[in-house]
Amino acid sequence: MAKTMKKVDAVIVGFGWTGAIMAKELTEAGLNVVALERGPMRDTYPDGSYPQTIDELTYNIRKKLFMDVSRETVTVRNTTADGALPMRQLAAFLPGTGVGGAGLHWSGVHFRVDPVELRLRSHYEERYGKKFIPEGMTIQDFGVSYEELEPHFDFAEKVFGTSGTAWSIKGKVVGEGKGGNPFAADRSDDFPLEAQKNSVSGTLFGKAAEAVGYHPYNMPSANTSGPYTNPYGCQMGPCNFCGFCSGYACYMYSKASPNVNVLPALRQEPKFELRANAHVLKVNLASDGKRATGVTYVDAQGQEVVQPAELVILGAFQFNNVRLLLLSGIGKPYDPVSGKGTVGKNFAYQNLATIKAFFGKDQHHTNPFIGAGGNGVAIDDFNGDNFDHGPAGFVGGSPMWVNQAGTKPISGLAVPPGTPAWGSAWKAAAADYYTHHLSMDMHGAHQSYRDNYLDLDPNYKDAFGMPLLRMTFDWKENDIKMSRFMVDKMRKIAEAMNPKAIGVYAKDFGSHFDLSSYQTTHLNGGAIMGTDPSTSAINRYLQSWDVPNVFVLGASAFPQGLGYNPTGLVAALAYWSAKAIREQYLKHPGALVQA
Amino acid sequence: MSPDDTSPARRDFLRKSLTLIPAAALAGQAASGAAAAAPGHGAAAARDYQPTFFTPEEWAFLRAGVARLIPADERGPGALEAGVPEYIDRQMATPYASGSQWYMHGPFNPDAPKTMGYQLRLAPREIYRLGIRDAEAWSRKQHGKPFATLDAATQDALLAQFEQGEAQFEGVPSKVFFALLLGNTREGFFCDPVHGGNQGMVGWTLIGFPGARADFMDWVERDERYPFPPVSIRGERA
């Protein structure tokens, strides 16, 4: 028999970045808010305390802060003709669990968005014609513009304490020759902190990129270049480049996280309650299916609990949001055959490739253990639509960078191509190259396709007996074309550094999605935003078209994958949605956009 | 490299190890002297350790195997000297080794392509138990002797067969067994010593990783050798 709690104004599912941001905004608006987090309580102390946290085996290798796949995972297949198999071990992507979510263990790369990518389909059709977009590619516009989001990008950077170099502020160029990005969109204000120092590897990349005619810039990093206090009064210490960012809670209070940058303020707020170890099973609907009445969750003891609420905010990880919609019967499930339905549609990823450069002992000491997760030097010459895609013949762009985030010996030791995997030859190469190599990435956009989608698996279940989410996903010709194009460009930068050896790690035609090797946790789509309820699950304010007192935050709203890292846009969209709730929805609860 | 049994450190190491290894494993261990890792210059032995998961026969295989994957040589101590066998035995008592961090509900499809990730029903403890059994059977079938008693070149050839899936194993694919052994060996060579491996921080010293120093504010922009030796979580200094 489920226990029923006292009704609240808003219940938030998941306490990562979006849950924390929305909790702060809604309590500011005077609402009583309960946030439910499936994982345990986590904070800098004890989860990030020095020296215990400087432990690669426990964190990167045994994956202490990541989603517990023994309890719930996803199933994966390449095409609808294949049987899906469960992801039994974490590898390709690393969603979080626990208070802070993936926002506790992320790196801290904090971009905005290339404005073109918010209206991707319209832009490509205008510049290259409708026929340029391949058959089966289902890219869409977000339905919101960069100008509308700009104040929210700005505020999120101030909350995160982001370090960077502006190119232009209110139309005035300020960053030329200082590490600004000439391709960056205009800003209303500077970054709250100046850019971090650059690593030796980053500087080498910048010089080489410049030598071959590109435009290097300092990556915007949510790792602090100095002490900082954010608008919520939360304090951060200066990053010391310890290199333990991605997969860790930052022991220096230097990497922005919901735990460091929002939770201390929420703790002072009597209208807010955070319940950890609360695993939400579904959103409960009124009998007409048009209104949510709250959620049902399982607490730490296994007790089912009903939490009634006026407003339900889904702030779980991308695919968990989609799964909750499907388990709750909110919206019409997507059907890849008819192309009808919206929930599960446009599941997209990111299209990465890596080149490693290996130097001689007397050439360079890159000391790759020195790092900060968001730090680096990048170029945008091939990102977005900053070059002519016509002759290239594919959709999508990619930034390229050296993002030296702290390369550790178990997970990150690299040896030149052709080195045996073990024995004295491997050992000698490991010893000769570890402190003399660097790694550069193309962090490419990934497009959405008619048959890359999410639904519920018919066979496999989670620890609570609920169906797992099923991913139907594979790389397409457009993705491989882009990857090969970008790798060619990046190789020229690598060659300009004059290394002894170069290793290229990229997909080729016929490559399938590889669940066994880490790529990125930047998963997108499945509950996408848009302007038309027949092609999107949520409206431009991230409100469900079908159940208007449900809002669905996070990268599940992206109609396709970005070139940049998603967190900056995820945060800005959360503030954008919160503004609409505060200024419009609370006054007149109901649909903010008429279907 | 050629095995070298004449070093005092090596003889001392063998003597110490032998005193703690159960009689059943003695014959194999003693004969494996030539095959196990040769000492490097200044290579120190790992501390004494009594396994709790591995049987004496398994232990002899494990010691001999890791000593070939990361050998002691002119570049310094190898996996054996770093205490990798102790690390792996201690890992066998963790949730990782019983597979309880993995999604282990059926149905299973062990024939799935590699791109689908790990799809077997076996947890690391079982992979070691079955894999070492099958590796020893293969070794005896090919050479008439236990793995640990063979010379280094023969051991290397067998390990390459496991790696390539050319050895016929019954309980677990030899590639899966080899990948686990190699992965755990690297972990034990490069982990913080708190986990039982990387004793004396020999793995970190080899490559120049400074361990738990975790403060490089003054070194970010310097294209020069980082001069400080590694430290561990417990505050040891190499």
Side-chain angles (χ1 to χ4, degrees):
Chain A
M1 186 62 195
K3 169 168 91 174
T4 299
M5 307 296 282
K6 187 167 170 255
K7 186 171 181 176
V8 293
D9 297 321
V11 64
I12 298 177
V13 181
F15 195 81
W17 273 120
T18 62
I21 287 169
M22 193 56 92
K24 186 74 181 71
E25 288 284 320
L26 296 184
T27 52
E28 280 179 14
L31 271 58
N32 286 302
V33 176
V34 165
L36 303 172
E37 166 53 46
R38 68 175 168 178
M41 184 59 212
R42 287 205 171 114
D43 214 338
T44 307
Y45 180 85
D47 301 283
S49 56
Y50 183 88
Q52 283 73 21
T53 191
I54 309 301
D55 182 355
E56 184 190 12
L57 184 80
T58 298
Y59 290 90
N60 284 127
I61 306 299
R62 297 289 179 259
K63 304 178 166 65
K64 187 171 178 184
L65 298 182
F66 305 141
M67 172 178 167
D68 179 0
V69 294
S70 77
R71 299 169 69 80
E72 55 179 321
T73 183
V74 294
T75 69
V76 180
R77 58 180 182 172
N78 291 135
T79 72
T80 52
D82 303 324
L85 291 171
M87 178 178 75
R88 298 190 179 278
Q89 303 173 345
L90 281 175
F93 40 80
L94 303 168
T97 192
V99 168
L104 183 62
H105 69 69
W106 73 314
S107 300
V109 177
H110 188 192
F111 279 105
R112 292 187 169 191
V113 69
D114 186 315
V116 160
E117 290 186 308
L118 292 176
R119 52 188 306 278
L120 194 68
R121 176 166 284 274
S122 298
H123 177 89
Y124 269 81
E125 287 182 358
E126 287 158 16
R127 181 166 175 187
Y128 301 108
K130 283 190 181 190
K131 284 190 180 151
F132 189 80
I133 299 172
E135 172 68 28
M137 185 183 281
T138 51
I139 55 175
Q140 290 184 195
D141 297 356
F142 278 65
V144 64
S145 70
Y146 176 79
E147 289 69 29
E148 287 172 307
L149 292 179
E150 202 287 332
H152 308 294
F153 282 120
D154 178 67
F155 187 69
E157 285 165 0
K158 291 180 163 96
V159 170
F160 283 47
T162 302
S163 307
T165 308
W167 174 260
S168 72
I169 299 170
K170 293 180 180 155
K172 187 176 173 229
V173 173
V174 296
E176 192 166 8
K178 296 175 185 167
N181 173 14
F183 297 101
D186 193 42
R187 311 165 51 90
S188 60
D189 197 0
D190 205 344
F191 287 95
L193 290 170
E194 64 177 3
Q196 292 185 279
K197 290 178 187 174
N198 287 323
S199 64
V200 169
S201 304
T203 301
L204 286 170
F205 176 85
K207 282 184 183 158
E210 206 152 24
V212 291
Y214 306 139
H215 301 83
Y217 64 88
N218 300 322
M219 284 170 67
S221 167
N223 311 147
T224 50
S225 57
Y228 183 69
T229 303
N230 80 2
Y232 299 149
C234 302
Q235 297 180 323
M236 304 177 79
C239 168
N240 68 0
F241 289 81
C242 82
F244 286 79
C245 317
S246 185
Y248 302 80
C250 173
Y251 85 89
M252 289 291 289
Y253 296 84
S254 306
K255 178 181 74 177
S257 66
N259 315 61
V260 169
N261 297 60
V262 186
L263 190 55
L266 278 171
R267 282 212 181 88
Q268 313 302 318
E269 176 51 71
K271 289 181 175 300
F272 175 71
E273 184 188 347
L274 172 60
R275 293 182 205 146
N277 301 302
H279 181 99
V280 174
L281 298 175
K282 62 171 179 168
V283 179
N284 300 318
L285 300 180
S287 54
D288 64 359
K290 293 189 173 8
R291 203 183 142 65
T293 58
V295 302
T296 298
Y297 67 93
V298 179
D299 72 11
Q301 298 174 56
Q303 167 89 22
E304 265 195 30
V305 183
V306 173
Q307 176 60 63
E310 283 291 329
L311 188 57
V312 175
I313 308 290
L314 300 188
F317 187 73
Q318 175 263 346
F319 57 67
N320 293 321
N321 278 347
V322 178
R323 181 167 176 246
L324 273 172
L325 291 174
L326 291 167
L327 289 173
S328 309
I330 298 174
K332 191 176 171 200
Y334 173 70
D335 171 13
V337 177
S338 67
K340 295 209 161 57
T342 56
V343 182
K345 176 186 152 127
N346 280 26
F347 171 51
Y349 197 23
Q350 199 136 35
N351 188 2
L352 281 83
T354 296
I355 291 182
K356 292 181 195 289
F358 300 90
F359 298 103
K361 276 191 188 55
D362 303 323
Q363 278 186 288
H364 295 292
H365 296 265
T366 56
N367 297 331
F369 48 85
I370 298 174
N375 177 255
V377 176
I379 60 161
D380 267 5
D381 298 70
F382 301 101
N383 193 20
D385 194 31
N386 298 336
F387 63 106
D388 184 2
H389 279 77
F394 59 82
V395 174
S398 175
M400 298 170 194
W401 58 53
V402 163
N403 165 221
Q404 189 164 296
T407 304
K408 294 166 208 56
I410 305 173
S411 55
L413 196 71
V415 290
T419 306
W422 50 278
S424 281
W426 172 81
K427 187 181 166 191
D432 288 342
Y433 288 105
Y434 173 64
T435 56
H436 306 281
H437 88 285
L438 63 77
S439 187
M440 62 192 92
D441 308 303
M442 68 156 248
H443 191 263
H446 183 244
Q447 311 313 323
S448 41
Y449 301 91
R450 184 168 177 146
D451 53 357
N452 281 345
Y453 74 106
L454 304 171
D455 66 355
L456 292 175
D457 190 276
N459 300 314
Y460 292 96
K461 298 197 166 27
D462 71 7
F464 304 99
M466 310 290 269
L468 296 182
L469 193 74
R470 176 169 66 179
M471 296 176 169
T472 304
F473 183 85
D474 210 351
W475 303 115
K476 309 289 183 187
E477 190 185 357
N478 183 84
D479 310 332
I480 309 294
K481 273 189 193 167
M482 186 183 97
S483 177
R484 290 166 63 93
F485 175 93
M486 297 296 171
V487 165
D488 275 355
K489 304 292 180 195
M490 196 159 68
R491 183 198 284 272
K492 291 191 175 61
I493 301 175
E495 285 166 356
M497 298 180 197
N498 193 29
K500 276 177 76 178
I502 289 175
V504 178
Y505 312 88
K507 295 182 277 286
D508 208 339
F509 291 107
S511 293
H512 292 291
F513 171 53
D514 186 355
L515 199 55
S516 71
S517 72
Y518 180 71
Q519 289 146 74
T520 171
T521 309
H522 306 155
L523 302 166
N524 314 285
I528 65 175
M529 61 191 295
T531 53
D532 178 350
S534 71
T535 57
S536 56
I538 56 178
N539 67 24
R540 67 196 297 263
Y541 302 109
L542 283 67
Q543 179 183 38
S544 165
W545 287 110
D546 301 275
V547 183
N549 65 334
V550 172
F551 287 73
V552 189
L553 312 180
S556 48
F558 296 6
Q560 55 273 332
L562 311 178
Y564 289 150
N565 305 51
T567 305
L569 182 56
V570 163
L573 285 173
Y575 281 111
W576 159 255
S577 176
K579 179 178 153 74
I581 294 173
R582 292 177 68 167
E583 295 181 1
Q584 300 175 57
Y585 179 87
L586 292 178
K587 286 172 191 156
H588 305 286
L592 294 170
V593 179
Q594 290 311 315
Chain B
M1 98 244 55
S2 58
D4 176 0
D5 241 355
T6 58
S7 144
R10 177 70 196 158
R11 286 197 305 270
D12 185 45
F13 164 64
L14 276 174
R15 199 161 47 240
K16 276 187 194 160
S17 310
L18 285 170
T19 56
L20 280 166
I21 291 185
L26 267 179
Q29 270 300 322
S32 76
H41 302 285
R47 66 172 161 259
D48 294 335
Y49 178 77
Q50 189 69 26
T52 59
F53 173 78
F54 293 103
T55 65
E57 294 79 7
E58 289 169 343
W59 190 239
F61 174 90
L62 190 68
R63 291 172 53 85
V66 304
R68 297 311 309 154
L69 295 177
I70 307 180
D73 56 21
E74 70 280 1
R75 300 303 292 261
L80 199 57
E81 294 72 27
V84 167
E86 173 181 338
Y87 162 80
I88 296 177
D89 187 71
R90 283 171 56 175
Q91 282 293 305
M92 292 301 105
T94 67
Y96 156 74
S98 57
S100 54
Q101 296 175 333
W102 300 345
Y103 184 83
M104 292 301 255
H105 303 285
F108 289 86
N109 182 354
D111 300 325
K114 187 183 166 292
T115 50
M116 297 308 292
Y118 187 75
Q119 290 294 340
L120 305 190
R121 197 166 67 86
L122 303 168
R125 291 164 66 101
E126 297 158 317
I127 295 173
Y128 274 113
R129 198 121 274 163
L130 298 170
I132 295 177
R133 181 200 70 186
D134 289 356
E136 283 295 6
W138 183 254
S139 173
R140 283 172 200 270
K141 192 174 161 195
Q142 302 294 308
H143 302 289
K145 289 183 190 176
F147 182 88
T149 64
L150 299 167
D151 63 50
T154 310
Q155 288 179 336
D156 285 355
L158 282 171
L159 288 167
Q161 289 179 335
F162 303 160
E163 181 182 28
Q164 300 303 320
E166 290 159 5
Q168 277 142 35
F169 279 27
E170 277 181 24
V172 56
S174 74
K175 275 184 172 183
V176 171
F177 168 66
F178 181 87
L180 182 74
L181 179 63
L182 179 59
N184 287 162
T185 299
R186 287 203 195 155
E187 288 167 13
F189 195 62
F190 290 126
C191 66
D192 189 278
V194 74
H195 299 289
N198 192 17
Q199 291 176 18
M201 290 168 269
V202 294
W204 290 348
T205 302
L206 173 75
I207 62 168
F209 181 72
R213 285 190 178 271
D215 179 2
F216 307 110
M217 192 76 112
D218 302 328
W219 288 90
V220 179
E221 296 165 304
R222 290 160 78 162
D223 190 346
E224 56 189 278
R225 193 179 77 84
Y226 181 78
F228 303 116
V231 296
S232 72
I233 286 174
R234 284 187 297 235
E236 302 141 306
R237 198 183 154 100

